[in-house]
Amino acid sequence: MRTRLSNNFSLKILAFLAAGLLWLIVVNIDDPIMDQNFSNIPVTVINTEVLASEDSPKTYQILDDTQNVTVTVKAKRSVLSKLSANDITAVADMKELTLETQIPIEVTVKNYKVADAYATPRNMQVKLEDEETKKFPIVPKTTGTVRDGYVLGQIEAMPEKVSIRGPKSVIDKISKVEATVSVSGLSKTSTLVSELKLYDEDNNEIDQNLLSNNLGTEGVDIHVELLRTKNVPLNFDTSAIQAANGYEFSNIKYEPKEISVSGDVDKLQQLSELQIPASALAMENLKEKTEKVIDVSDYLPDGIVLADENANSVAVTILIEKDGTKSFEISVGSVSVLNLDSDLSINYESANALDIQIRGPEDALNKIDIDESVSIDLAKYTEPGTYNVPIQVSLPEHCTLEKNMSIKVMLENKAKANVKDEEKTKENN
């Protein structure tokens, strides 16, 4: 029998097949074919040139978020364990466009053998539109603050315009094109690179995925000019100020005392003060203190500009005195308060300085220390309220006030005032 078994070739073949089948079963049990999903796989659209036409070129918009798909891959478990999203390519061929709305999505897996791979959804949804090209001016903008001692000069986009191509519906939404650069810490004239941003009329940013422009991906150059700054004092020519008969021009006061200007370094070095000509303050027949606002930007030399274009106004006060009088200015904070009730606090309705005119001999007027001479007496004001209180001025012999004056004060109960202060502190915090 042993001889019969060893000489039976058919039995040997059968045993070999059985062993092979058993091996296949074991291998498949140990490394089965499985499914695995890969999310957010981008779909690449190819052959878009088929939409071009000399008569009416078209472009497309991707709908329903089908520019990214989920790909299901069927493969052995050992393959799936090595597979990543980078190995998967999803392509929509514009030549396969059907019904002008759908393009089949073909999926391939590189470097690995798989049983199947398909996208969900199976088709990219698109909408065909007329294509349009339009030119827009580029608006350069800056963020941040340049280094101390410098100020921004001219800011230019290079080039000044950009041609944008895309779906007409998107092009029509574009209201402005901006290019923004940071100038934080900048200390010299520079050319910086910026990306373009598109905005609609509601200042919402427009997605540029469906658009192209003639500048490519390199962005736009923004030329930022930096100028040095300098503070210069003002010098007013007062020769054209004329007082009325019986009065005389005393002096002028003005704020600010100096302005900040910018420009070329050499020109700034030559500028020691800003001369304001007599014509700026030319007035006649003045009988009282007069105020005038001067726009100093009108008197800047060529090549010099204001560091802050909004800081062009200087408030000038022209002091006029009667013959034999002298004008004194005193802040309300310098007025001495006498006999204030201990339960009351005081505030002034106005913080404006007081203009006090005193008549007397010139030598006596010149000796008056006005900050030590003015007071108010609150002995009669013992209740909270608002009062016009006469101003008292201690005067040298032979000197008198040109006119009696008063100041409006507001007296409050201290406890109530403290509560208000606490509430204000809480609001600020």
Side-chain angles (χ1 to χ4, degrees):
M1 182 175 177
R2 180 182 300 172
T3 302
R4 199 167 92 184
L5 284 172
S6 61
N7 293 330
N8 192 330
F9 184 73
S10 61
L11 284 176
K12 292 180 179 179
I13 295 295
L14 182 62
F16 177 77
L17 292 175
L21 180 62
L22 181 62
W23 181 84
L24 287 173
I25 292 173
V26 171
V27 168
N28 279 318
I29 290 174
D30 190 50
D31 194 10
I33 292 178
M34 303 175 66
D35 294 353
Q36 185 171 333
N37 291 334
F38 296 84
S39 302
N40 293 319
I41 302 298
V43 181
T44 302
V45 182
I46 62 174
N47 294 319
T48 55
E49 64 272 10
V50 301
L51 298 178
S53 167
E54 292 184 3
D55 297 329
S56 57
K58 299 285 185 182
T59 186
Y60 66 94
Q61 288 193 60
I62 300 173
L63 305 178
D64 302 331
D65 294 326
T66 52
Q67 67 270 26
N68 293 294
V69 294
T70 297
V71 170
T72 302
V73 178
K74 290 186 177 183
K76 289 183 178 181
R77 182 167 60 187
S78 60
V79 173
L80 292 177
S81 66
K82 301 174 184 177
L83 205 59
S84 71
N86 293 331
D87 300 312
I88 300 171
T89 303
V91 174
D93 189 341
M94 192 62 74
K95 290 181 179 179
E96 303 297 324
L97 178 66
T98 59
L99 303 175
E100 295 192 349
T101 60
Q102 295 183 347
I103 311 173
I105 299 173
E106 296 293 330
V107 176
T108 57
V109 180
K110 299 178 291 185
N111 305 322
Y112 294 97
K113 184 178 180 180
V114 300
D116 192 14
Y118 59 88
T120 304
R122 299 271 186 166
N123 298 300
M124 173 180 278
Q125 304 296 321
V126 297
K127 175 186 176 184
L128 297 187
E129 279 194 66
D130 289 336
E131 185 178 78
E132 184 175 16
T133 301
K134 192 174 180 180
K135 280 191 174 183
F136 296 89
I138 299 173
V139 180
K141 292 205 165 182
T142 62
T143 60
T145 305
V146 298
R147 186 172 293 184
D148 289 345
Y150 295 85
V151 68
L152 287 174
Q154 192 171 10
I155 304 170
E156 296 178 290
M158 301 181 299
E160 296 180 347
K161 293 184 178 182
V162 59
S163 293
I164 301 177
R165 178 169 59 89
K168 186 176 186 305
S169 62
V170 180
I171 296 294
D172 288 344
K173 289 181 182 178
I174 300 174
S175 175
K176 60 182 176 181
V177 178
E178 291 184 356
T180 302
V181 291
S182 172
V183 296
S184 294
L186 205 64
S187 60
K188 63 179 181 179
T189 296
S190 305
T191 298
L192 309 174
V193 178
S194 173
E195 293 182 356
L196 295 179
K197 290 189 179 295
L198 316 180
Y199 297 92
D200 63 19
E201 60 182 8
D202 296 321
N203 213 37
N204 298 313
E205 188 172 353
I206 296 173
D207 188 351
Q208 299 185 53
N209 285 333
L210 302 177
L211 306 173
S212 61
N213 64 66
N214 64 326
L215 301 182
T217 59
E218 296 181 1
V220 59
D221 290 338
I222 304 298
H223 182 73
V224 180
E225 181 186 29
L226 238 59
L227 302 173
R228 292 299 300 260
T229 62
K230 181 179 182 180
N231 291 336
V232 294
L234 303 176
N235 186 358
F236 285 88
D237 184 341
T238 60
S239 61
I241 299 174
Q242 296 184 15
N245 289 333
Y247 296 83
E248 63 178 337
F249 162 63
S250 172
N251 199 358
I252 63 168
K253 295 184 177 182
Y254 50 92
E255 287 292 339
K257 294 288 190 300
E258 60 182 18
I259 58 169
S260 180
V261 296
S262 62
D264 179 77
V265 175
D266 293 336
K267 291 184 177 179
L268 286 178
Q269 289 178 345
Q270 297 172 14
L271 184 65
S272 59
E273 64 181 12
L274 183 60
Q275 297 280 350
I276 310 299
S279 58
L281 295 178
M283 284 178 279
E284 299 179 348
N285 204 36
L286 297 181
K287 296 182 179 180
E288 59 184 10
K289 179 176 73 174
T290 303
E291 295 180 349
K292 188 173 183 178
V293 176
I294 304 299
D295 185 350
V296 293
S297 62
D298 295 337
Y299 309 108
L300 294 172
D302 290 340
I304 300 294
V305 297
L306 292 170
D308 179 357
E309 61 181 9
N310 296 316
N312 60 320
S313 297
V314 174
V316 180
T317 301
I318 301 169
L319 302 178
I320 301 296
E321 299 174 350
K322 268 189 177 182
D323 290 344
T325 67
K326 186 174 181 179
S327 293
F328 297 87
E329 273 197 357
I330 182 172
S331 66
V332 292
S334 297
V335 175
S336 299
V337 179
L338 308 176
N339 300 314
L340 174 63
D341 191 290
S342 59
D343 292 329
L344 299 177
S345 65
I346 183 172
N347 283 299
Y348 298 95
E349 184 180 72
S350 173
N352 293 336
L354 302 173
D355 181 24
I356 298 175
Q357 290 199 354
I358 301 174
R359 177 177 291 278
E362 183 177 354
D363 58 344
L365 293 175
N366 290 335
K367 294 178 182 179
I368 295 175
D369 183 356
I370 198 65
D371 288 335
E372 300 295 330
S373 304
V374 182
S375 63
I376 53 174
D377 189 349
L378 300 179
K380 297 180 180 179
Y381 306 93
T382 58
E383 297 293 331
T386 300
Y387 305 96
N388 277 316
V389 180
I391 291 174
Q392 300 176 350
V393 183
S394 299
L395 297 175
E397 190 176 2
H398 306 302
C399 290
T400 59
L401 283 177
E402 185 66 15
K403 61 178 179 180
N404 292 326
M405 301 181 64
S406 63
I407 186 171
K408 185 170 283 190
V409 300
M410 295 172 290
L411 301 180
E412 258 189 314
N413 187 283
K414 275 187 178 179
K416 185 176 179 181
N418 290 337
V419 170
K420 285 184 178 179
D421 290 340
E422 291 176 2
E423 290 176 348
K424 186 176 291 186
T425 301
K426 288 180 181 179
E427 288 178 2
N428 294 335
N429 293 335

